[in-house]
Amino acid sequence: MKMRLLSVILLHGVCVLHLSAPTVSAVSLSVTPDQKQFFSPGALAILSCDDDDEQRVDGWTVKRTRGGVTERCGAAAGFVLKNSQCQLKLHNPSDGAYFCESSSGQRSDEVNIIISAGSLILDIPSSPVWTGSNVTLLCQSRDGEPVKSYFYKDGKIIGSDSKDNLTLTNVQKSDEGLYSCSTEVHTDTQKSRLTVRDPPADPPPTVKPTTTTTTTTTTTTTTTTTTTTRRRSSGPPLTASIMSGLVSVVLLVLV
């Protein structure tokens, strides 16, 4: 009797674990405003750890590596925690690799933030962009206005003429690389990487059978209609096969 009771408790615990286990999307460092290059002196950039749906996640800490030293937000001047926000003060020419880290040691991709004392910066997204999307890069002056510029990828000029912006349509992995810009007067900006990622894959279609029974005086005909439902998955769920195996073990104990 005690063995049966223990098995029932174990089965209940497995079900509760399955229902309460969180599903976490891929986490990345989010920078607001969405740039990698900033002028010095400047205002503030807000750094946070977000999932694929741009929702802030708990249990992750913003950190940076600079000059061979890794430090967490709140442990250095100009890299402070205020009102639960990680604020980066843009006042000194410097750079660093910023990332998110979980309590278990998982890390997001790094974002290299450049604080420039020069006359131009490249306005390039800080977050990865999805394949198939459109991205516009700007060469920006200190007055906040875009300027007609030459654009470069991996050190090679794109086209032969200066332009107001560089628009990449239907972005692919081949567009990933180090970008910079310059004008007739000003030399190249520092290089920043455009990172391209494939969108999160949808889970396999869920097939839900709907059975309709039609009865005549002589035969019964059963018709099955399948309905396909797709939803976006926010993380790797516990599979049905694992749950089935656990339940089978508990039932054997019960017997």
Side-chain angles (χ1 to χ4, degrees):
M1 181 65 182
K2 290 183 179 180
M3 182 62 71
R4 290 177 179 270
L5 179 60
L6 178 62
S7 301
V8 170
I9 294 173
L10 177 60
L11 178 59
H12 174 73
V14 170
C15 294
V16 170
L17 177 63
H18 173 60
L19 292 174
S20 62
T23 55
V24 181
S25 302
V27 175
S28 60
L29 178 73
S30 175
V31 182
T32 305
D34 187 15
Q35 299 175 214
K36 288 186 176 181
Q37 297 188 14
F38 298 88
F39 284 116
S40 171
L44 293 174
I46 306 300
L47 313 182
S48 61
C49 300
D50 296 349
D51 61 18
D52 284 340
D53 295 323
E54 299 181 356
Q55 299 297 315
R56 189 165 300 181
V57 294
D58 296 325
W60 290 71
T61 303
V62 178
K63 295 186 176 183
R64 76 175 172 195
T65 300
R66 186 175 62 168
V69 177
T70 298
E71 51 200 4
R72 63 188 294 149
C73 186
F79 186 41
V80 299
L81 272 174
K82 187 174 182 181
N83 299 327
S84 300
Q85 288 185 331
C86 180
Q87 299 182 353
L88 176 63
K89 295 184 178 180
L90 311 173
H91 56 80
N92 290 321
S94 61
D95 57 8
Y98 294 75
F99 58 94
C100 294
E101 184 173 275
S102 71
S103 56
S104 60
Q106 296 174 300
R107 289 177 55 159
S108 70
D109 290 339
E110 293 182 345
V111 175
N112 289 297
I113 296 178
I114 297 170
I115 304 174
S116 174
S119 302
L120 292 175
I121 59 172
L122 177 67
D123 188 345
I124 186 170
S126 61
S127 303
V129 298
W130 301 133
T131 55
S133 63
N134 300 332
V135 179
T136 298
L137 308 184
L138 300 172
C139 206
Q140 183 179 322
S141 63
R142 279 192 169 271
D143 61 8
E145 296 297 324
V147 294
K148 204 166 187 177
S149 314
Y150 299 96
F151 291 87
Y152 304 82
K153 177 177 180 268
D154 298 328
K156 297 180 180 179
I157 191 169
I158 302 173
S160 57
D161 299 323
S162 60
K163 57 192 76 175
D164 294 331
N165 60 67
L166 175 65
T167 299
L168 306 175
T169 58
N170 190 24
V171 170
Q172 300 299 316
K173 289 290 289 182
S174 57
D175 292 310
E176 194 171 69
L178 292 170
Y179 288 81
S180 63
C181 63
S182 68
T183 67
E184 298 283 359
V185 178
H186 302 290
T187 57
D188 289 1
T189 62
Q190 296 192 55
K191 298 178 178 64
S192 285
R193 177 169 292 278
L194 179 69
T195 303
V196 181
R197 294 284 182 267
D198 291 327
D202 288 335
T206 301
V207 178
K208 181 180 179 180
T210 302
T211 303
T212 304
T213 303
T214 304
T215 305
T216 64
T217 55
T218 56
T219 60
T220 300
T221 304
T222 301
T223 304
T224 301
T225 304
T226 59
T227 302
T228 301
T229 305
R230 297 179 70 85
R231 64 180 180 84
R232 179 169 176 168
S233 174
S234 60
L238 192 62
T239 63
S241 58
I242 296 176
M243 286 298 299
S244 177
L246 290 173
V247 173
S248 298
V249 171
V250 173
L251 292 177
L252 286 175
V253 174
L254 286 171
V255 174

